Amino acid sequence: MKFNPSFARREAEDGVSNNELAMTDLSTTLGRLTLKNPIMVASGTFGYAREMEGIVDIPRLGAVLPKTITAEPRIGNAPWRTVETSAGLLNAIGLDNDGVDAFLENHLPYLRTLETAVVVSVAGRTQDEFVSLAERIGNEAGVAAVELNLSCPNVSGGIDFGTDANSCRNVVEAARRSCKVPILAKLTPNVTRIADIAQAASDGGADAVCLINTVLGMAIDWRRRKPMLGNGMGGLSGPAIKPIALRCVHQVASAVNIPIIGIGGIATIDDVMQFLVAGASAIQIGTANYYDPTVSTRLVDQLPAALSELGATGVAEIVGTLGK
């Protein structure tokens, strides 16, 4: 998808000139990581990017995140793995992936060819696994940052590091020492005080925190009196969790001095702007990729005009300005 001149003309008719749109600074900074714009796609919803290249103009995105990588191959959970809800999607995929060796051999060479930042999501069963994965991935050419998935709710032990502040700080700190690229910590909302966990990630040296991963949920077939997901429970994503995600972003932005990447139910330019104003410096598109694969680039197109509505010429001007 290329720049849409008709969109620019419409905005010009609304009082925003093409020149003003072109001068808008869409770049954003996440600690040591700088992106050309704040629109990212979330791990697990964009494959390894190759699957989307015929649909999405990938170089126009701020960053892509391929599906989470583990040390060994994982076949994932038993079916059903996904269940639609009235306002979202329950999933219990179980981090199905081919493992780090296959990723380095089969997927990273392609990802290196993309003209945008590649952030690789990793998940470990132990602190040592997280550190080993971060070190291996972070020392590879073409990797802009490593996202530590501390918060997957549908694998055994998947949220342990994201629910205990000491564990979170220790794993982030150890990964930071071993990894030369920026570290992003993806956190779970399934805690009492998410600001405490975010502070721990910050204390450990995370360049940014990603808020939020899915919310633990369940679907039941009452006639069979059984859970619909093979795993019993899974992670709820989509529009249903956006208010929770906004709350978490606002709470963390008010308490912790670290950049935030907002995730949760984002599908429109209004959603994007709400997260930026609440305190996020970037956002990730997740569930919306499934039903509207071109949504991410459309949001890039729409962002300059939305910023102009607030009298802003750059993303940084509006981040965390809620109530100001």
Side-chain angles (χ1 to χ4, degrees), residues 190-209:
N190 302 306
V191 294
T192 303
R193 279 183 48 85
I194 196 166
D196 292 345
I197 310 300
Q199 184 63 61
S202 177
D203 292 344
D207 290 84
V209 288

Side-chain angles (χ1 to χ4, degrees), residues 89-137:
L89 180 72
L90 271 171
N91 93 84
I93 304 299
L95 298 182
D96 181 352
N97 76 103
D98 296 332
V100 64
D101 291 336
F103 173 79
L104 295 176
E105 180 178 354
N106 300 325
H107 300 296
L108 187 56
Y110 166 76
L111 291 166
R112 288 192 183 108
T113 69
L114 302 179
E115 298 175 17
T116 192
V118 175
V119 178
V120 180
S121 173
V122 301
R125 294 170 297 179
T126 65
Q127 178 175 308
D128 287 345
E129 274 195 4
F130 269 108
V131 173
S132 176
L133 286 164
E135 183 175 18
R136 289 190 66 184
I137 297 293

Side-chain angles (χ1 to χ4, degrees), residues 176-192:
R176 175 69 185 263
R177 285 197 303 264
S178 301
C179 180
K180 67 180 182 180
V181 299
I183 294 288
L184 314 178
K186 188 171 185 178
L187 304 183
T188 176
N190 302 306
V191 294
T192 303

Side-chain angles (χ1 to χ4, degrees), residues 20-308:
E20 288 175 310
L21 292 173
M23 293 177 60
T24 304
D25 182 8
L26 298 186
S27 66
T28 190
T29 301
L30 304 166
R32 294 174 293 158
L33 176 64
T34 298
L35 304 179
K36 56 189 171 186
N37 66 64
I39 309 300
M40 310 167 73
V41 288
S43 63
T45 67
F46 208 71
Y48 292 103
R50 192 192 306 267
E51 300 91 326
M52 307 295 282
E53 66 179 355
I55 304 171
V56 180
D57 190 4
I58 294 175
R60 301 197 56 242
L61 301 178
V64 298
L65 284 87
K67 65 191 304 184
T68 297
I69 306 304
T70 55
E72 302 294 333
R74 290 182 59 95
I75 62 171
N77 292 325
W80 288 357
R81 293 183 175 191
T82 60
V83 174
E84 290 188 46
T85 70
S86 57
L89 180 72
L90 271 171
N91 93 84
I93 304 299
L95 298 182
D96 181 352
N97 76 103
D98 296 332
V100 64
D101 291 336
F103 173 79
L104 295 176
E105 180 178 354
N106 300 325
H107 300 296
L108 187 56
Y110 166 76
L111 291 166
R112 288 192 183 108
T113 69
L114 302 179
E115 298 175 17
T116 192
V118 175
V119 178
V120 180
S121 173
V122 301
R125 294 170 297 179
T126 65
Q127 178 175 308
D128 287 345
E129 274 195 4
F130 269 108
V131 173
S132 176
L133 286 164
E135 183 175 18
R136 289 190 66 184
I137 297 293
N139 286 318
E140 290 284 342
V143 175
V146 169
E147 180 185 78
L148 304 179
N149 186 351
L150 306 171
S151 50
C152 182
N154 52 65
V155 296
S156 178
I159 63 171
D160 291 351
F161 294 100
T163 56
D164 179 81
N166 287 331
S167 296
C168 179
R169 181 181 62 251
N170 290 341
V171 72
V172 171
E173 185 175 43
R176 175 69 185 263
R177 285 197 303 264
S178 301
C179 180
K180 67 180 182 180
V181 299
I183 294 288
L184 314 178
K186 188 171 185 178
L187 304 183
T188 176
N190 302 306
V191 294
T192 303
R193 279 183 48 85
I194 196 166
D196 292 345
I197 310 300
Q199 184 63 61
S202 177
D203 292 344
D207 290 84
V209 288
C210 305
L211 309 174
I212 53 177
N213 208 324
T214 54
V215 178
L216 191 61
M218 192 173 190
I220 293 175
D221 181 338
W222 64 267
R223 291 181 174 88
R224 296 172 61 236
R225 287 180 280 190
K226 290 185 177 181
M228 294 180 70
L229 289 171
N231 194 55
M233 291 180 285
L236 179 65
S237 62
I241 73 167
K242 193 185 87 169
I244 300 171
L246 282 171
R247 181 264 299 175
C248 290
V249 167
H250 174 60
Q251 287 180 323
V252 170
S254 301
V256 180
N257 186 26
I258 188 172
I260 297 167
I261 300 168
I263 316 167
I266 300 171
T268 69
I269 192 61
D270 289 330
D271 297 334
V272 173
M273 296 298 287
Q274 290 167 20
F275 273 87
L276 295 177
V277 169
S281 295
I283 60 91
Q284 291 182 15
I285 306 296
T287 301
N289 288 317
Y290 294 132
Y291 61 84
D292 187 2
T294 62
V295 63
S296 52
T297 48
R298 187 164 63 252
L299 294 176
V300 175
D301 282 337
Q302 295 171 346
L303 187 55
L307 291 170
S308 181

